[in-house]
């Protein structure tokens, strides 16, 4: 009888499952962009050192995955390397979610090639032609007679969308290899003499053995490198983008506390140490408005558009 | 006491019956769910175009989205059949060695080791594909990148091997020993006995083993996602980067807006995969039954 009873209990437990996912008050769940994952993880680690009672988990999966998780109430903060799409806002509103955006860092999306490739600069137009599959050999752009090998991200990546909507203004060539993340693109391009890839600047700042190209919006405006922080911050480097976090409504409690930390001088120092760029003033003002923090920054205008959506 | 025991028997009976029934309910439930969820896509895309057209770009914004799984279907079949081409000779050879040639001591060590091979997580195998098999392929074939269909085939062969080896060994073992003895008595060598007597006698068991190995390979996701390069174009050869059905679902399902054509299309390619594995399993089951009859 004992055996049968044990069996029955085990069986019942199996069905009930251990659904004791008790969310503690200080638990913050962050999910999304693979471009942001390293820097946000670092921020969370540092934050938790000062707040031993807080628990922050940071996972990747891509910007689209993060925003979908926010909409489905499976995370508190969605990391996104692109702006939220109007379709996603609609879906969120239907489910009673009010997505609010905070800008935590600035990225210069970097175009990388192999060190054997003599080409050191491209225009936005060239990059579009390459990724749309219109240019198939580097010699067409004045380089070696080597076929172009495209490396990109998978379609759940915000960088994938940003590149398509803002830089290429067209569809990707079906021959592009879709890699899992920024680091995998850097590794692949290092090995491939005909390779080209796009990654967040945080992944190439100290990278050896890879070319980081200078890019021009058009040849007349001059070529700029994403490695020069001034050119990224002023927007001279044409593929500059804000890295965002989306929240449900105005943040409160632990979420707000963590975001205030991210945007503090200490937080922004970590952002720069990880290879990205600190948030410039107009975004600071935008963030402070959302967080309800008064500031006394002056009101200069710049090239950034402080809108919910990027590009398109 | 007797009455008490009777109740216990009945309870356990009922429990096991319910368990057995549950499996059937789950299977039928999954099948119905896949059909219901994928049906709407065929109102938008004709079945023929969906299956055979080679342009898959559901998130297109500058041109109309396209839903053609042709290249994925070819990629999936290529990678799995490639895996079988590698795994079948290796698997049958190993099984024949284990069942007929190896000393009991060797067998005692080798069998558990092969079973451990089946327990390696697929993500670890995928990792080996990126850091070990990929660079090897690119060096041997002078390619700039080793993430391609061949890489996927090699890794899936490794994953299908334990299934093929252990089922083939079972099949070879259940060939009555009189067959072997008669063959050896007639003056046939060990090699001739294995190749001309034992393997033909066990052939349906071996075929079933290979089919189940293929079933294992075709549904594998993480390994191919990591190691095949994920390029959606129609593959030109085993050295092209490919994206299988499973990879596509894994990449796209996480962010697809619910109840859109794209969402239904992902269920539809899942349905196609389900039908393929279902057919493979059915065929292997039929072959296995036939074989059991012959031996008995």
């Amino acid at each position: 009888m004992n055996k049968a009873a044990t069996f029955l209990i085990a069986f019942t437990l199996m069905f009930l499952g251990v659904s004791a996912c008790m969310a503690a008050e200080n638990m913050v769940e962050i999910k999304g962009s693979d471009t942001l994952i390293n820097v946000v993880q670092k921020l969370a680690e540092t934050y938790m050192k000062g707040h031993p009672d807080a628990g922050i988990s940071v996972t990747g999966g891509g910007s689209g995955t993060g925003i979908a998780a926010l909409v489905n109430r499976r995370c508190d903060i969605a990391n996104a390397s692109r702006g939220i799409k109007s379709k996603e806002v609609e879906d969120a509103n239907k489910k009673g979610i009010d997505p609010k955006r905070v800008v935590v860092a600035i990225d210069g999306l970097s175009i990388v090639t192999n060190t054997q490739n003599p080409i050191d600069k491209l225009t936005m137009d060239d990059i579009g032609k390459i990724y749309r599959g219109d240019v198939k050999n580097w010699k067409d752009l004045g380089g070696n007679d080597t076929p172009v090998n495209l490396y990109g991200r998978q379609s759940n990546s915000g960088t994938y969308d940003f590149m398509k909507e803002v830089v290429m203004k067209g569809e990707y060539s079906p021959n592009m290899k879709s890699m899992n993340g920024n680091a995998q693109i850097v590794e692949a391009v290092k090995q491939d003499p005909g390779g080209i890839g796009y990654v967040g600047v945080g992944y190439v700042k100290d990278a050896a053995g890879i070319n980081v190209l200078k890019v021009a919006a058009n040849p007349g405006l001059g070529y700029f490198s994403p490695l020069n922080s001034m050119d990224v911050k002023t927007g001279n480097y044409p593929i500059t983008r804000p890295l965002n976090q989306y929240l449900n409504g105005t943040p409160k409690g632990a979420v707000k506390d963590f975001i205030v930390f991210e945007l503090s001088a200490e937080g922004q120092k970590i952002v720069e140490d990880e290879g990205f760029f600190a948030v410039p003033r107009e975004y600071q003002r935008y963030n402070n408005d959302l967080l309800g923090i008064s500031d006394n920054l002056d009101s200069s205008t710049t090239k950034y558009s402080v809108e919910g959506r990027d590009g398109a | 006491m007797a009455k008490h025991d009777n109740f216990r028997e009945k309870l356990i009976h009922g429990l096991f019956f319910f368990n057995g029934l549950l499996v059937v309910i789950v299977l039928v439930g999954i099948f119905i769910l896949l059909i219901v969820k994928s049906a709407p896509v065929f109102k938008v895309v004709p079945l023929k175009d969906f299956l055979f057209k080679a342009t898959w770009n559901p998130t297109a914004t500058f041109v109309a989205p396209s839903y053609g799984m042709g290249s994925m279907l070819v990629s999936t079949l290529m990678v799995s059949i490639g895996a079988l081409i590698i795994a079948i000779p290796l698997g049958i050879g190993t099984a024949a060695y284990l069942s007929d040639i190896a000393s009991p001591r060797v067998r005692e060590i080798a069998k558990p080791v092969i079973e451990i091979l089946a327990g390696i997580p697929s993500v670890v195998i995928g990792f080996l594909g990126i850091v070990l098999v990929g660079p090897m392929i690119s060096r041997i074939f002078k390619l700039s990148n080793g993430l391609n269909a061949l890489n996927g085939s090699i890794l899936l062969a490794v994953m299908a091997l334990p299934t093929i080896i252990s089922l083939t060994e079972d099949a070879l073992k259940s060939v009555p020993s009189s067959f072997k003895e008669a063959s050896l008595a007639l003056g046939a060598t060990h090699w001739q006995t294995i190749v001309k007597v034992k393997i033909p006698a066990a052939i349906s068991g071996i075929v079933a083993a290979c089919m189940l190995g293929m079933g294992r390979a075709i549904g594998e996701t993480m390994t191919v996602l990591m190691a095949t390069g994920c390029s959606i174009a129609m593959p030109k050869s085993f050295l092209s980067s490919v994206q299988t059905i499973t990879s596509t679902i894994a990449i796209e399902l996480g962010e697809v807006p619910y109840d859109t054509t794209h969402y239904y299309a992902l269920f539809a390619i899942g349905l196609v995969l389900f039908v393929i594995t279902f057919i493979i399993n059915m065929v292997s089951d039929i072959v296995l039954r036939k074989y059991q009859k012959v031996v008995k």
Side-chain angles (χ1 to χ4, degrees):
Chain A
M1 187 59 209
N2 240 344
K3 254 187 197 166
T6 322
F7 181 60
L8 198 68
I9 291 166
F11 195 76
T12 322
L13 274 181
M14 207 174 77
F15 262 81
L16 290 175
V18 192
S19 57
C21 280
M22 300 278 204
E25 196 66 13
N26 294 332
M27 280 298 292
V28 180
E29 194 83 38
I30 305 177
K31 198 174 171 65
S33 170
D34 292 316
T35 306
L36 268 166
I37 184 163
N38 284 351
V39 59
V40 175
Q41 222 148 30
K42 190 88 196 178
L43 284 163
E45 278 165 23
T46 316
Y47 176 79
M48 283 189 286
K49 267 182 206 150
H51 300 75
D53 54 329
I56 297 174
S57 91
V58 186
T59 51
S63 304
T65 311
I67 291 173
L70 183 76
V71 171
N72 295 323
R73 296 182 195 270
R74 290 199 313 264
C75 70
D76 304 300
I77 300 177
N79 289 337
S81 60
R82 61 167 167 84
I84 193 166
K85 295 172 185 170
S86 43
K87 179 82 181 69
E88 289 166 335
V89 176
E90 252 173 60
D91 288 345
N93 291 342
K94 262 186 231 158
K95 295 191 175 168
I97 304 270
D98 176 24
K100 294 280 188 203
R101 171 203 195 204
V102 175
V103 179
V104 290
I106 299 294
D107 179 25
L109 184 64
S110 307
I111 307 297
V112 292
T113 56
N114 191 271
T115 44
Q116 290 179 34
N117 191 332
I119 292 176
D120 65 347
K121 56 184 193 208
L122 289 173
T123 63
M124 294 274 272
D125 195 42
D126 291 335
I127 298 167
K129 275 186 199 151
I130 291 170
Y131 270 95
R132 288 193 303 267
D134 299 340
V135 171
K136 293 192 165 59
N137 194 306
W138 286 107
K139 72 174 181 222
D140 297 343
L141 295 168
N144 296 334
D145 183 5
T146 317
V148 174
N149 275 328
L150 302 173
Y151 294 91
R153 297 286 306 279
Q154 295 165 353
S155 64
N156 52 0
S157 148
T159 313
Y160 173 99
D161 277 338
F162 179 84
M163 185 74 186
K164 185 170 109 171
E165 306 282 339
V166 180
V167 182
M168 294 160 56
K169 305 200 185 340
E171 296 298 329
Y172 283 105
S173 156
N175 289 312
M176 180 178 79
K177 295 187 196 355
S178 316
M179 313 303 265
N180 266 321
N182 291 284
Q184 210 186 356
I185 293 181
V186 172
E187 284 313 307
V189 172
K190 268 187 194 170
Q191 315 275 328
D192 186 343
I196 181 168
Y198 53 84
V199 292
V201 67
Y203 288 83
V204 292
K205 224 172 181 184
D206 312 309
I210 197 154
N211 280 349
V212 180
L213 300 190
K214 290 179 180 165
V215 179
N218 66 60
L221 289 175
Y223 291 86
F224 297 95
S225 165
L227 299 177
N228 183 331
S229 74
M230 268 327 283
D231 286 337
V232 175
K233 282 181 184 172
T234 54
N236 278 337
Y237 182 70
I239 342 177
T240 297
R241 58 177 180 165
L243 298 176
N244 312 307
Q245 290 187 325
Y246 285 91
L247 328 155
N248 178 19
T250 308
K252 287 188 285 288
V255 174
K256 179 174 177 179
D257 206 42
F258 178 61
I259 289 172
V260 168
F261 169 76
E262 287 182 308
L263 301 174
S264 68
E266 192 190 352
Q268 291 296 301
K269 168 121 194 336
I270 294 171
V271 166
E272 297 247 340
D273 288 347
E274 287 296 302
F276 293 99
F277 302 108
V279 177
R281 272 184 189 168
E282 54 285 357
Y283 279 126
Q284 281 174 25
R285 186 170 308 105
Y286 170 85
N287 289 337
N288 288 341
D289 278 351
L290 177 73
L291 295 167
I293 299 169
S294 62
D295 60 64
N296 42 15
L297 299 164
D298 66 80
S299 54
S300 58
T301 52
T302 66
K303 291 179 182 178
Y304 293 112
S305 66
V306 192
E307 287 160 17
R309 274 172 59 75
D310 296 315
Chain B
M1 192 63 195
K3 199 182 166 194
H4 190 78
D5 272 352
N6 200 13
F7 170 72
R8 198 171 76 178
E9 279 299 311
K10 268 193 181 162
L11 186 76
I12 291 174
H13 239 264
L15 224 53
F16 279 114
F17 175 72
F18 179 66
N19 268 348
L21 199 67
L22 197 70
V23 175
V24 178
I25 292 171
V26 167
L27 181 72
V28 173
I30 289 174
F31 192 56
I32 291 173
L33 178 88
L34 282 176
I35 289 179
V36 169
K37 284 283 183 188
S38 57
V41 76
F42 298 112
K43 284 180 200 148
V44 187
V45 191
L47 180 64
K48 211 180 107 204
D49 289 358
F50 187 82
L51 284 177
F52 301 117
K53 272 213 171 149
T55 46
W56 176 266
N57 191 356
T59 53
T61 39
F62 294 94
V63 295
S66 49
Y67 304 92
M69 64 177 296
S71 64
M72 276 184 258
L73 202 58
V74 172
S75 305
T76 300
L77 293 176
M78 242 170 88
V79 173
S80 339
I81 290 171
L84 282 190
I85 292 173
I86 300 167
I88 289 177
L90 263 176
I92 295 181
T94 312
Y97 171 75
L98 284 179
S99 77
D100 284 62
I101 298 164
S103 66
R105 232 185 103 76
V106 172
R107 195 178 314 147
E108 254 167 53
I109 299 166
K111 262 227 124 166
V113 169
I114 288 164
E115 270 144 32
I116 289 169
L117 192 61
I120 298 176
S122 56
V123 68
V124 173
I125 304 230
F127 183 69
L128 290 180
I130 293 176
V131 300
L132 187 76
V133 183
M136 241 164 60
I137 291 175
S138 65
R139 219 170 308 133
I140 292 169
F141 293 95
K142 306 252 181 301
L143 297 173
S144 53
N145 189 288
L147 298 177
N148 52 31
L150 179 63
N151 193 338
S153 290
I154 292 173
L155 299 178
L156 289 185
V158 171
M159 301 183 77
L161 265 176
T163 311
I164 295 180
I165 292 172
S166 77
L167 289 176
T168 302
E169 202 215 340
D170 287 348
L172 286 174
K173 265 201 180 144
S174 54
V175 173
S177 55
S178 55
F179 282 37
K180 184 179 173 183
E181 284 155 12
S183 169
L184 291 174
L186 286 170
T189 61
H190 221 129
W191 165 255
Q192 286 168 328
T193 306
I194 292 170
V195 174
K196 299 221 164 126
V197 176
K198 288 205 80 173
I199 290 178
I203 193 70
S204 36
I206 294 171
V207 170
C210 297
M211 297 293 271
L212 286 174
M214 178 156 183
R216 171 93 176 86
I218 213 165
E220 177 47 45
T221 307
M222 201 59 213
T223 306
V224 288
L225 180 64
M226 291 168 80
T228 59
C230 291
S231 160
I232 200 69
M234 183 60 96
K236 292 187 186 76
S237 75
F238 268 96
L239 300 177
S240 313
S241 292
V242 298
Q243 181 166 324
T244 63
I245 295 177
T246 48
S247 303
T248 308
I249 298 176
I251 293 170
E252 293 176 11
L253 197 61
E255 46 112 27
V256 64
Y258 281 22
D259 300 325
T260 55
T261 308
H262 185 189
Y263 178 79
Y264 299 131
L266 289 179
F267 274 92
I269 61 173
L271 180 66
V272 172
L273 188 67
F274 183 81
V275 169
I276 295 173
T277 46
F278 190 77
I279 291 172
I280 290 173
N281 281 315
M282 275 255 286
V283 170
S284 62
D285 207 47
I286 292 168
V287 172
L288 207 58
R289 259 162 221 265
K290 197 180 139 212
Y291 145 83
Q292 276 165 346
K293 259 184 226 155
V294 170
V295 170
K296 277 170 192 166

